[in-house]
Amino acid sequence: MKLSIVIVSYNVKYYLEQCLCSVIRACYGLDAEIWVVDNASSDGSVEYIRSRFPDVHFIENQENVGFSRANNMAIRQATGEYIYFMDADDMLPSNALEKMGTIIQQLPVEAVITNHGFIAPDDLNPQNIQSSPKHPLIPTGEYKGNKLILSQKTFLPGTPWAKLISRKFLLKNNLFFSKAYRGEDSNWWKLCLFCFNDIYVLNEPLYFYRKGQYSLMKENNQNCLYFSQLCS
């Protein structure tokens, strides 16, 4: 089973560097590819990252095409059986993809959804997390049947993150991101929920959001630590 990790990036090259280091660790021993969609960054992101991560696949946009269109480009070009979306300033623990992949090997579900935690803006250690009290998940286990899935009122953060989703499922149901709506990520997830028939919930924090003043769209990432400090 091959995995495709998709990361949309805009002017956060040092955070992207941290993100990729965590992803590469999480991909160790797995059949996986990494896609970075760069939305015309002006901070030299592509050159900087490509020189350090030569195996990463890049889609270089000449203009900022937005979050939705960028993700759709990667969905179309990815070759993995399952897709995992990430923000460029977030991180993974080293066992995240292995845990989700093991579940899919045993149960070929349409998606594996996990919980998440938070890391501070300049924290390099994804073990220093705070659990998320805002999004309590339903108990760990397999959930079959669309009615059962939709009946879970506390069901999962409404974003693409922390979810390993079948690419075949996305293509079959034409589940591309729409740029017609504000909050396109949550709208996309709602559409997925209406189409799911077999998913697995793993109620563990296996995705780490970067919280604080350095959000993906606002931060100039100049205070972020460099590659040699992170990967030593």
Side-chain angles (χ1 to χ4, degrees), residues 165-179:
I165 302 180
S166 164
R167 181 172 179 267
K168 182 179 179 181
F169 165 82
L170 295 178
L171 296 177
K172 176 183 176 181
N173 293 283
N174 199 31
L175 288 169
F176 292 97
F177 291 82
S178 172
K179 63 180 181 180

Side-chain angles (χ1 to χ4, degrees), residues 13-14 17 20-21 24 44-56 58 226-228 231:
K13 66 180 180 182
Y14 299 129
E17 182 179 43
L20 287 172
C21 277
I24 288 171
S45 289
V46 174
E47 297 80 7
Y48 181 81
I49 296 299
R50 179 173 279 146
S51 66
R52 290 160 173 77
F53 302 94
D55 294 329
V56 170
F58 275 91
Y226 287 81
F227 176 83
S228 59
C231 295

Side-chain angles (χ1 to χ4, degrees), residues 154-199:
T154 61
F155 207 10
L156 317 173
T159 68
W161 329 133
K163 301 166 178 67
L164 187 61
I165 302 180
S166 164
R167 181 172 179 267
K168 182 179 179 181
F169 165 82
L170 295 178
L171 296 177
K172 176 183 176 181
N173 293 283
N174 199 31
L175 288 169
F176 292 97
F177 291 82
S178 172
K179 63 180 181 180
Y181 300 98
R182 184 178 180 181
E184 62 267 38
D185 53 351
S186 59
N187 280 285
W188 175 85
W189 178 237
K190 290 174 186 175
L191 291 174
C192 288
L193 285 175
F194 277 102
C195 295
F196 282 136
N197 282 295
D198 191 2
I199 64 173

Side-chain angles (χ1 to χ4, degrees), residues 49-223:
I49 296 299
R50 179 173 279 146
S51 66
R52 290 160 173 77
F53 302 94
D55 294 329
V56 170
H57 301 280
F58 275 91
I59 300 175
E60 300 178 55
N61 291 322
Q62 300 305 306
E63 61 179 348
N64 190 340
V65 300
F67 170 84
S68 294
R69 188 176 169 190
N71 273 316
N72 291 341
M73 289 175 173
I75 292 173
R76 292 186 175 97
Q77 295 194 39
T79 62
E81 297 170 64
Y82 284 79
I83 294 183
Y84 193 82
F85 297 101
M86 292 188 67
D87 255 345
D89 56 350
D90 295 338
M91 297 179 73
L92 291 180
S94 59
N95 62 347
L97 297 176
E98 180 183 12
K99 281 194 170 187
M100 288 184 282
T102 298
I103 291 169
I104 288 172
Q105 296 281 14
Q106 299 170 353
L107 300 168
V109 293
E110 294 162 334
V112 176
I113 297 101
T114 75
N115 216 325
H116 64 267
F118 294 105
I119 49 176
D122 294 317
D123 198 338
L124 298 182
N125 185 359
Q127 303 307 318
N128 297 334
I129 65 170
Q130 300 176 20
S131 61
S132 171
K134 294 182 179 180
H135 301 293
L137 297 192
I138 57 180
T140 292
E142 185 178 10
Y143 291 79
K144 286 190 173 185
N146 186 254
K147 288 185 179 180
L148 174 63
I149 292 170
L150 291 176
S151 70
Q152 309 304 315
K153 301 301 182 184
T154 61
F155 207 10
L156 317 173
T159 68
W161 329 133
K163 301 166 178 67
L164 187 61
I165 302 180
S166 164
R167 181 172 179 267
K168 182 179 179 181
F169 165 82
L170 295 178
L171 296 177
K172 176 183 176 181
N173 293 283
N174 199 31
L175 288 169
F176 292 97
F177 291 82
S178 172
K179 63 180 181 180
Y181 300 98
R182 184 178 180 181
E184 62 267 38
D185 53 351
S186 59
N187 280 285
W188 175 85
W189 178 237
K190 290 174 186 175
L191 291 174
C192 288
L193 285 175
F194 277 102
C195 295
F196 282 136
N197 282 295
D198 191 2
I199 64 173
Y200 193 95
V201 174
L202 182 57
N203 198 351
E204 297 180 26
L206 296 179
Y207 185 93
F208 300 145
Y209 287 104
R210 179 89 56 182
K211 71 174 185 176
Q213 60 181 320
Y214 300 111
S215 70
L216 180 59
M217 296 304 175
K218 296 178 182 177
E219 186 275 325
N220 66 14
N221 78 98
Q222 293 304 308
N223 296 323

